[in-house]
């Protein structure tokens, strides 16, 4: 379908970008993106994806808004305290762009529901705060061949990459095969985290998701971007697929014959 006059005006700054244009904006409208988590990373990622005109946004989160969230989780406010984050996120996203179809999933992803839920979407943005969920989401995305844009933050540092092992790059488990100890990576409640850092990394997730959807530029598959906010430094390092990875070692590349069982 052609873009309406309202869409042409709303997305005018996208449409004049040669890498997006009208066709790219139409692809955004036809896309379905699932955000795992509506917290520090999910809030800015969801806000910018809604503003960008993603047609269907899924929000998966089983938590409620608490006062300590408000330092960084910008979809929520004081009036939302005690509400499910999915409900609060829905209201905030509707204010940003009422034309986006926001689907709420007030659940914690587990082995019983992850595949059915992720299977409804084209791309996943993971802003979860624990390694068990990250590894589960990665395994399902690899199995279903859904691009995964995953980020994490702690203290003053954030990291982000895109995982598409069927195209030859690594999956999340290739780069982070096991969860670090609590001493190595303490929880934000213990170690602290800069609120604005969540905004930086969540916005980067939205950027990479848009690029994947419209086919613009060079994505982060095979590369890990690390942002040190305290030193105002960005590093990008190459990351490779692990041929012995328990998740993606048997996954055939697109265009190849299926891997032997």
């Amino acid at each position: 379908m052609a873009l309406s006059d309202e869409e042409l005006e709303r997305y005018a700054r996208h449409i004049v970008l040669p890498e997006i244009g009208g066709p790219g904006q139409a692809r955004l409208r036809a896309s379905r993106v699932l955000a795992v988590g509506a917290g520090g990373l999910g809030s800015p990622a969801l806000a910018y994806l809604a503003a960008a005109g993603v047609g269907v946004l899924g929000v998966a989160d089983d938590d409620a808004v608490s006062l300590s969230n408000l330092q960084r989780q910008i979809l929520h406010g004081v009036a939302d305290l005690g509400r499910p984050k999915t409900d609060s996120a829905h209201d905030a996203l509707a204010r940003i762009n009422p034309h986006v179809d926001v689907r709420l999933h007030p659940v914690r992803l587990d082995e019983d529901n992850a595949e059915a839920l992720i299977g409804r979407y084209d791309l996943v943005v993971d802003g979860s705060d624990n390694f068990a969920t990250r590894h589960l989401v990665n395994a399902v995305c690899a199995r279903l061949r859904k691009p995964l844009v995953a980020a994490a933050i702690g203290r003053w540092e954030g990291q982000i990459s895109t995982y598409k092992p069927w195209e030859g790059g690594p999956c999340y488990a290739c780069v982070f095969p096991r969860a670090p100890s609590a001493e190595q990576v303490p929880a934000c409640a213990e170690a602290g985290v800069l609120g604005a850092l969540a905004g930086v990394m969540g916005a980067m997730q939205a950027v990479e998701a848009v690029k994947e959807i419209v086919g613009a530029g060079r994505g982060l598959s095979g590369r890990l971007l690390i942002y040190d906010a305290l030193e105002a430094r960005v590093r990008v390092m190459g990351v490779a697929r692990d041929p012995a990875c328990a998740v993606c070692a048997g996954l055939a590349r697109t265009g190849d014959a299926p891997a032997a069982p």
Side-chain angles (χ1 to χ4, degrees):
M1 293 178 61
L3 298 173
S4 67
D5 289 343
E6 180 180 346
E7 288 173 305
L8 290 172
E9 182 174 357
R10 176 182 284 273
Y11 306 121
R13 303 306 187 271
H14 270 180
I15 293 169
V16 296
L17 289 172
E19 297 84 358
I20 298 181
Q25 193 61 51
R27 284 195 289 273
L28 287 168
R29 183 178 60 182
S31 66
R32 304 165 65 90
V33 176
L34 174 66
V36 179
L41 292 166
S43 286
L46 282 163
Y48 274 109
L49 290 171
V54 169
V56 177
L57 277 177
V59 186
D61 198 310
D62 69 338
D63 200 6
V65 180
S66 63
L67 190 59
S68 64
N69 297 153
L70 304 187
Q71 167 251 14
R72 64 202 176 282
Q73 300 184 17
I74 58 171
L75 283 184
H76 318 296
V78 173
D80 300 309
L81 293 175
R83 297 182 70 198
K85 287 183 182 178
T86 48
D87 291 352
S88 177
H90 176 275
D91 294 348
L93 298 174
R95 288 191 295 270
I96 293 170
N97 190 346
H99 303 294
V100 174
D101 182 1
V102 181
R103 309 281 178 89
L104 305 184
H105 308 288
V107 297
R108 178 176 290 273
L109 267 65
D110 58 29
E111 294 287 352
D112 294 328
N113 62 25
E115 185 160 329
L117 182 54
I118 290 173
R120 304 177 197 176
Y121 293 90
D122 305 317
L123 179 147
V124 176
V125 171
D126 185 9
S128 58
D129 60 359
N130 66 88
F131 283 92
T133 300
R134 292 171 191 165
H135 278 278
L136 172 64
V137 170
N138 170 69
V140 174
C141 284
R143 186 160 60 246
L144 299 181
R145 300 192 176 213
K146 306 285 186 177
L148 170 62
V149 181
I153 56 173
R155 292 177 173 159
W156 293 86
E157 186 174 283
Q159 58 183 234
I160 179 175
S161 188
T162 298
Y163 300 101
K164 300 188 292 181
W166 58 91
E167 292 187 359
C171 77
Y172 181 86
C174 294
V175 184
F176 304 101
R178 61 189 62 85
S181 67
E183 291 75 25
Q184 292 173 307
V185 183
C188 288
E190 176 186 346
V193 64
L194 178 68
L197 176 64
V200 172
M201 302 310 299
M204 283 188 180
Q205 285 185 283
V207 169
E208 295 305 317
V210 168
K211 286 165 57 182
E212 289 293 325
I213 292 166
V214 304
R218 182 183 179 190
L220 282 174
S221 178
R223 300 190 296 160
L224 180 69
L225 184 151
I226 300 173
Y227 172 53
D228 182 341
L230 199 58
E231 296 296 327
R233 181 175 61 181
V234 174
R235 293 177 291 152
V236 180
M237 62 179 66
V239 286
R241 187 171 175 180
D242 179 0
C245 176
V247 172
C248 71
L251 187 67
R253 291 185 55 166
T254 301
D256 291 347

